[in-house]
Amino acid sequence: MRTAKITRKTAETDINVEINLDGTGVYDNKTGVGFFDHMLDQLSRHALIDMTVRCAGDLHIDDHHTVEDVGIALGQALAQAMTDKRGIVRYGSCLLAMDDALVRVALDLSGRPFLVWNVDLPTAKIGTFDTELVREFFQAISTHGGITLHVDQLHGINSHHIAEAAFKSVARALRDALETDPRKADAIPSTKGAL
């Protein structure tokens, strides 16, 4: 079973993450940041990754450390759960519409982190949540998960819809990339023989 548990404790955050890549999208996420919990729930549900996240962060300062550090821990959990990546499809993409928003994601579970972020969230806040933290989360998950990740906003005027479409589109692309390739279930998906 492809599972992982990560504990990350710093002066700014205390985080526990548990994931099961072969789950059904069951989630239980509590970070103290309501909108972020909602986005993590979407990531879990649409990627079909069972996910439990607990974070006690320095929210009296702001949400930045909580969001970024959860991204770090979740990226580490993904990398750990994939082990040597034997049998995975490796690549995934999704074009996802949510009302006014249209977001395109393409990713490669290559072990080579890189983020291309062409997303313009038109407001500085969604409720009390700083919209710039959406990119910070995906930067952290890309870096620590070893994921090449391209996120492009094609349309959108509502920040909530754009952010949610990004999370859902990444989730659907991850779901495809993590699937077992029935024609090569015992092989590393690379001519190098390693990822």
Side-chain angles (χ1 to χ4, degrees):
M1 211 140 125
R2 299 181 299 169
T3 62
K5 293 182 182 180
I6 296 291
T7 299
R8 175 181 169 83
K9 187 168 180 140
T10 71
E12 298 166 341
T13 57
D14 186 354
I15 299 171
N16 289 289
V17 171
E18 293 185 32
I19 63 169
N20 176 1
L21 301 184
D22 300 307
T24 58
V26 175
Y27 53 83
D28 184 10
N29 302 308
K30 292 183 175 59
T31 66
V33 181
F35 179 76
F36 184 48
D37 289 348
H38 178 49
M39 293 300 101
L40 291 174
D41 295 349
Q42 300 303 322
L43 188 65
S44 171
R45 171 63 183 87
H46 293 281
L48 296 183
I49 296 173
D50 293 348
M51 184 186 306
T52 300
V53 176
R54 292 290 182 273
C55 179
D58 55 0
L59 298 179
H60 61 285
I61 295 173
D62 66 8
D63 299 341
H64 187 109
H65 298 140
T66 293
V67 173
E68 183 177 32
D69 288 9
V70 167
I72 291 169
L74 191 52
Q76 291 170 341
L78 285 168
Q80 184 181 103
M82 285 187 282
T83 62
D84 69 356
K85 302 176 187 169
R86 186 172 305 278
I88 65 168
V89 171
R90 177 179 168 181
Y91 298 98
S93 61
C94 180
L95 182 62
L96 190 133
M98 182 174 173
D99 301 335
D100 56 286
L102 182 63
V103 174
R104 177 181 59 213
V105 166
L107 60 81
D108 177 8
L109 302 177
S110 62
R112 297 185 305 275
F114 198 90
L115 176 66
V116 175
W117 182 257
N118 293 312
V119 177
D120 179 26
L121 295 159
T123 61
K125 300 259 189 197
I126 300 170
T128 61
F129 183 82
D130 293 327
T131 54
E132 68 183 6
L133 297 181
V134 177
R135 184 190 187 285
E136 292 297 322
F137 172 78
F138 286 116
Q139 180 67 67
I141 205 169
S142 168
T143 299
H144 294 273
I147 302 168
T148 299
L149 176 60
H150 292 246
V151 184
D152 296 296
Q153 171 193 342
L154 303 180
H155 299 290
I157 56 173
N158 180 286
S159 292
H160 188 133
H161 294 162
I162 296 165
E164 189 163 341
F167 273 84
K168 288 178 175 177
S169 191
V170 168
R172 293 296 301 208
L174 260 178
R175 176 178 169 176
D176 290 349
L178 288 166
E179 285 294 317
T180 300
D181 187 337
R183 295 173 62 192
K184 284 288 194 178
D186 61 345
I188 304 290
S190 172
T191 55
K192 297 184 187 86
L195 283 173

